[in-house]
Amino acid sequence: MSAVCLVRHPVVSAQPSAIEQRYQKLMNEMEFENSLLSDHELRHRADLDFIEKKKQEDFDESEEDALTLTAQDQQDIWDSQLSHFTPANTITEADEKNDQQSTDRKLDEKLILIVKQKLGDRFHWVLPQGQRSQGESMRQAAERVLSLTCGQEIKAQFMSNAPCGFYKYMYGNIHLSNEGAKVFFFKAHTVMGHTVMGHTVMGQVELAQRDSISDYLWLPRGNLKDYLVPSYYRHVKRFILSL
């Protein structure tokens, strides 16, 4: 069987941790102590020297000198422009509603798609998976599974022809059957589109696939353990980095 680990990568930079902030402060101090003056700083020094010359009684200021924009004047203009700048809010409406079916939330984290899929006679939270058809490669099967699960609206870029991990489980009671399945995971990331199960944005989905998938969620890595079976989660977290 092939499964898809579909990731929506962060849209904005994450807030630095405490150790990252300390490291950045140290680097800024080293940069300040060891770096050369910038062109703007050299220009400011030249302006200060020119102001001292203007204080001399025999200084004759030209019209060009009077109209020259100093480095301090330029700095004041920049500061004024900065004071009118308001950064965009990274907390979205989906964040406020805790809409776990939207990718328009937790913009500074990775979100992973999981679905509530029927396996045997029960539903389980898993990464979208399906059986490989005759003549398909494992990656082609993963692409088909993604298309059936999410429709044609969502576009994804698969990372490799090789799986990033696998998981195996037994059918039914482990003591009564020696048969089971191996699930090979393929990583992909979203390019465009939205996954909205049951809505027109979703696109056409096979009726059988709708019967086998009852729900879906976009979750950060840290919340997967609340939904996935422990043994399944242990295998999945190995190839989902928190970076």
Side-chain angles (χ1 to χ4, degrees):
M1 303 184 77
S2 291
V4 184
C5 176
L6 183 61
V7 179
R8 190 228 63 191
H9 285 292
V11 180
V12 298
S13 299
Q15 292 296 321
S17 64
I19 190 171
E20 289 173 333
Q21 292 178 9
R22 293 197 301 271
Y23 178 76
Q24 184 62 53
K25 181 180 178 182
L26 174 62
M27 295 302 295
N28 289 340
E29 292 173 351
M30 293 176 61
E31 173 72 14
F32 181 77
E33 292 173 359
N34 300 324
S35 66
L36 301 176
L37 295 178
S38 66
D39 290 344
H40 181 72
E41 291 170 320
L42 291 173
R43 179 183 168 191
H44 182 60
R45 283 194 173 185
D47 290 340
L48 294 177
D49 293 339
F50 181 73
I51 291 174
E52 291 299 322
K53 289 182 180 180
K54 289 173 65 175
K55 294 178 181 179
Q56 300 175 7
E57 295 182 358
D58 59 345
F59 180 80
D60 185 16
E61 184 178 20
S62 66
E63 183 179 353
E64 181 181 356
D65 292 335
L67 297 176
T68 299
L69 186 69
T70 66
Q72 186 60 53
D73 292 333
Q74 185 66 66
Q75 185 68 49
D76 292 340
I77 293 174
W78 291 337
D79 290 341
S80 177
Q81 292 174 342
L82 179 61
S83 66
H84 291 86
F85 173 75
T86 303
N89 188 5
T90 58
I91 304 300
T92 66
E93 182 180 352
D95 281 313
E96 295 173 350
K97 294 181 178 179
N98 194 28
D99 183 1
Q100 295 183 315
Q101 292 189 336
S102 172
T103 56
D104 190 28
R105 70 185 192 97
K106 293 191 177 296
L107 301 182
D108 59 348
E109 296 184 53
K110 284 182 180 179
L111 293 180
I112 298 95
L113 175 67
I114 64 171
V115 295
K116 197 170 187 179
Q117 188 167 353
K118 191 173 184 179
L119 303 176
D121 58 353
R122 297 179 60 188
F123 282 89
H124 299 273
W125 286 104
V126 294
L127 301 180
Q129 69 178 52
Q131 290 187 343
R132 181 181 68 87
S133 299
Q134 186 66 29
E136 279 186 326
S137 67
M138 298 302 292
R139 169 170 168 166
Q140 288 172 338
E143 292 173 341
R144 176 174 53 80
V145 166
L146 181 61
S147 178
L148 292 176
T149 304
C150 301
Q152 300 298 324
E153 291 296 326
I154 194 165
K155 304 299 180 184
Q157 177 67 49
F158 278 76
M159 307 300 294
S160 173
N161 290 325
C164 57
F166 80 96
Y167 174 73
K168 59 183 179 180
Y169 60 90
M170 307 301 293
Y171 295 141
N173 191 318
I174 191 172
H175 299 292
L176 301 179
S177 173
N178 291 324
E179 296 183 354
K182 278 189 177 181
V183 183
F184 292 88
F185 300 102
F186 290 81
K187 293 189 76 171
H189 62 85
T190 57
V191 177
M192 61 179 295
H194 303 281
T195 303
V196 186
M197 301 283 289
H199 293 255
T200 55
V201 181
M202 178 66 181
Q204 296 298 319
V205 181
E206 295 288 342
L207 181 60
Q209 194 74 3
R210 289 194 180 189
D211 289 342
S212 64
I213 296 178
S214 63
D215 201 359
Y216 77 101
L217 296 172
W218 286 95
L219 298 177
R221 182 179 185 270
N223 293 126
L224 291 176
K225 62 179 180 295
D226 298 330
Y227 293 85
L228 304 181
V229 174
S231 60
Y232 187 88
Y233 171 71
R234 286 196 297 271
H235 284 75
V236 167
K237 72 175 183 178
R238 295 174 183 173
F239 54 80
I240 301 179
L241 302 180
S242 56
L243 301 178

